[in-house]
Amino acid sequence: MNATPDDFDPIPSTRHRIPVTVGSLKQAEQEADALAVPVASGTEPPDELGTDAAGLASAGFSGTRGQTLVQTRSSGPVRVAVGTGIPDHVDVTLARDLAAEFARAVPWHKRLAIEVPSRATGLSAGDFAQAVTEGVLLARWRYFVGQGADTPQLESLLVVASDEDAAEVAAGVERGRIIAEACSLGRDLANCPATTLSAVRMAEVAVEVGARTGLQVEVFDKDQLIEMGCGGLLGVNRGSVEPPRMIRLRYEPAEPTGRIALVGKGIMYDSGGISLKPSDESHAQMKNDMTGAAAVLASMTALQALGCTTAVTGYLMCTDNMPSGSAMKLGDVLRMRNGTTVEVLNTDAEGRLVMADALALATEEPVDAIVDIATLTGACLRTFGVEIAGVMGNNSAVVEQLRSAGELADEPVWELPLHRSYRSQLDSSIADLTNMGGINAGSITAGLFLEEFVDGKPWAHVDIAGTAQLPAPRSWRNKGASGFGTKLLIEFARAFATPTGDSRQAAQR
């Protein structure tokens, strides 16, 4: 496919919906190119592998956690033994990982099948089926616009289950498919070239996917943002030829059990503005600076299909951050939605400016908790690397719910303290605060800045600056812009419980 950037589809995963079905071992023998057979360590393998534990051991396979062994055959599908480790100790992370390792072990096979073990694993058959469906579909995802881009990497997935477990497995497979499709959308958006995925195009995508996933979508243009007093988003947008957009998404179940607001940073491309970034690999990755907004949009597309009972409002704050004769300057003062004035000391600390407007807007409606998610600080990358996101907040219950959601989704978060004595680093002599603290504790001072706009409501901030980009594939995760946060927010919304107690109780921990 030879194309100009404007020809790229921001969401190619919607062109190749992978059929995922539940069937029998006989069906897998007839239809699949490769079949994954789970084997626990210290046990005899299922008969379909055609060998015993001693035969597997002679090939170096013992069934340890995550181990794979490919067995070619003259007829029927390739068999892949996948190790589940100690019997009864399988969790969703392991099930998802072993399915991904299977999918990567047979890269040329496009019709895959995977068994749900009939023996006890420590997981229900439905949870196992959900996890392996996610693992296979996400491991085979790719964003590619070169020649052969329209060739699907996977044609079908068959999950093999006993008649007794078939109904439960089918429900699990459907949950896994919905979550994997949402995560694929988040990845598509985060990997799309910035020339193609402008703030205007992001709004068009939101309208398009919202219409088919039960979301109400409102789009606010520059004139409306001026009328609303969103000085942060407008200030960052000054240097760009592309107009800004704020996108508000609403998911409203029939009888809500709680209400949350999700705020996503949508810097479609971050040059740093006047505080121009160096021309290096990190700068080249800055099309992913809208991963937070992508995660909010993508996660909300799954809520109706999953039967989520939490009402969710999402705010996507979208613009690029560019240098030009009209760009925001160091020393400028912006007035935010809630009236707070901010002295700009670094135009590359722009994410907190656009999100401040959305946080203020979120407090103007009934809400039980607010969560923002952003590729916010290099300090968080240096603290946690590329596999763990930072989290901080003013309510321990909200932070703990995010931690639990991250554990289930295998998108882990680790808490940092909102240490209040650092707030003085944000003091300004001419405005209410500055947009930058000192050279140390950058993630924490950024969180303290955001807290100024939540009006004491239960709130948490997730910093995904490190996890938004991976240098190499690992398990179900892809190389490049990862779309981190979609699965995390889905699980958070599904299990959300209204917090009680003091909304500042987590601040000094």
Side-chain angles (χ1 to χ4, degrees):
M1 170 175 142
N2 295 313
T4 64
D6 289 338
D7 293 326
F8 297 164
D9 184 350
I11 45 173
S13 62
T14 61
R15 296 202 307 270
H16 302 303
R17 289 266 169 81
I18 310 302
V20 186
T21 57
V22 178
S24 65
L25 181 60
K26 181 179 180 181
Q27 187 177 350
E29 293 278 2
Q30 296 171 342
E31 299 177 4
D33 299 325
L35 169 67
V37 181
V39 180
S41 59
T43 65
E44 287 296 326
D47 294 340
E48 49 268 27
L49 277 180
T51 187
D52 58 12
L56 291 175
S58 67
F61 181 89
S62 61
T64 56
R65 188 179 178 108
Q67 193 176 22
T68 60
L69 177 65
V70 179
Q71 296 180 309
T72 58
R73 297 195 169 208
S74 57
S75 62
V78 168
R79 292 335 195 253
V80 182
V82 290
T84 61
I86 301 171
D88 301 327
H89 283 68
V90 177
D91 55 23
V92 290
T93 295
L94 173 59
R96 192 183 293 114
D97 285 351
L98 69 85
E101 294 301 334
F102 157 60
R104 294 192 189 280
V106 286
W108 306 114
H109 298 78
K110 296 184 178 181
R111 297 179 300 162
L112 304 185
I114 188 165
E115 285 193 45
V116 174
S118 56
R119 301 168 185 167
T121 63
L123 274 184
S124 70
D127 287 344
F128 189 96
Q130 175 184 333
V132 298
T133 300
E134 290 178 30
V136 170
L137 295 184
L138 293 174
R140 283 296 181 92
W141 170 94
R142 73 170 181 170
Y143 188 95
F144 183 67
V145 294
Q147 298 196 20
D150 289 328
T151 303
Q153 300 301 291
L154 182 65
E155 294 178 358
S156 65
L157 172 63
L158 175 67
V159 180
V160 176
S162 65
D163 291 341
E164 180 183 4
D165 292 335
E168 182 182 356
V169 167
V173 164
E174 181 64 4
R175 291 195 303 272
R177 182 194 63 78
I178 292 166
I179 292 171
E181 286 188 359
C183 192
S184 295
L185 171 60
R187 289 177 173 182
D188 286 348
L189 294 170
N191 280 278
C192 187
T195 302
T196 299
L197 191 61
S198 64
V200 171
R201 182 68 180 111
M202 183 76 163
E204 293 170 350
V205 171
V207 170
E208 177 186 339
V209 299
R212 63 173 183 260
T213 56
L215 301 179
Q216 302 172 38
V217 183
E218 300 171 271
V219 178
F220 299 84
D221 63 18
K222 185 173 182 177
D223 289 340
Q224 291 170 299
L225 291 166
I226 292 171
E227 186 176 338
M228 295 166 67
C230 292
L233 182 54
L234 292 165
V236 175
N237 181 251
R238 281 184 200 164
S240 178
V241 297
E242 295 284 348
R245 290 291 185 268
M246 185 184 83
I247 305 153
R248 183 160 60 196
L249 313 168
R250 296 189 190 274
Y251 166 72
E252 188 76 23
E255 298 180 1
T257 55
R259 292 187 177 276
I260 62 175
L262 303 177
V263 172
K265 174 186 174 183
I267 302 300
M268 313 310 293
Y269 184 80
D270 182 19
S271 70
I274 294 296
S275 305
L276 192 66
K277 295 177 182 290
S279 182
D280 58 13
E281 183 180 2
S282 175
H283 193 162
Q285 295 170 357
M286 283 299 103
K287 67 179 184 180
N288 79 7
D289 211 22
M290 37 62 67
T291 300
V296 172
L297 172 58
S299 66
M300 290 184 66
T301 66
L303 299 182
Q304 183 183 69
L306 293 172
C308 178
T309 60
T310 304
V312 183
T313 302
Y315 296 86
L316 316 182
M317 307 303 286
C318 299
T319 179
D320 43 13
N321 182 28
M322 300 294 287
S324 74
S326 60
M328 180 174 64
K329 303 171 184 65
L330 278 69
D332 282 356
V333 174
L334 307 178
R335 186 177 299 276
M336 319 305 278
R337 165 69 183 185
N338 69 350
T340 299
T341 54
V342 178
E343 181 186 7
V344 177
L345 297 186
N346 188 326
T347 64
D348 197 23
E350 84 299 329
R352 65 200 70 183
L353 298 175
V354 305
M355 292 164 61
D357 287 331
L359 290 170
L361 284 165
T363 67
E364 296 172 15
E365 299 187 14
V367 67
D368 297 316
I370 302 169
V371 172
D372 72 71
I373 183 167
T375 46
L376 205 64
T377 66
C380 201
L381 166 62
R382 289 186 288 275
T383 301
F384 293 126
V386 298
E387 296 186 11
I388 303 170
V391 65
M392 61 198 84
N394 64 8
N395 186 281
S396 59
V398 177
V399 171
E400 176 57 26
Q401 288 182 56
L402 283 165
R403 190 204 61 77
S404 296
E407 184 175 347
L408 183 60
D410 198 15
E411 291 189 332
V413 299
W414 197 278
E415 186 177 5
L416 290 168
L418 278 177
H419 192 58
R420 299 210 177 280
S421 67
Y422 293 166
R423 169 59 181 79
S424 61
Q425 296 181 35
L426 300 173
D427 288 343
S428 167
S429 60
I430 65 170
D432 293 313
L433 69 163
T434 67
N435 75 327
M436 278 290 289
I439 61 172
N440 298 317
S443 297
I444 295 173
T445 55
L448 288 166
F449 178 95
L450 295 173
E451 190 190 18
E452 295 287 318
F453 300 89
V454 301
D455 195 29
K457 300 289 178 66
W459 156 81
H461 157 61
V462 182
D463 191 331
I464 57 172
T467 56
Q469 188 86 17
L470 295 182
R474 187 177 70 81
S475 181
W476 55 272
R477 299 162 185 83
N478 60 297
K479 178 181 179 180
S482 67
F484 185 103
T486 298
K487 282 158 48 63
L488 168 69
L489 295 179
I490 289 173
E491 300 300 348
F492 174 74
R494 290 179 67 197
F496 177 72
T498 300
T500 58
D502 182 5
S503 62
R504 291 181 176 265
Q505 60 188 292
Q508 296 288 351
R509 285 214 321 247

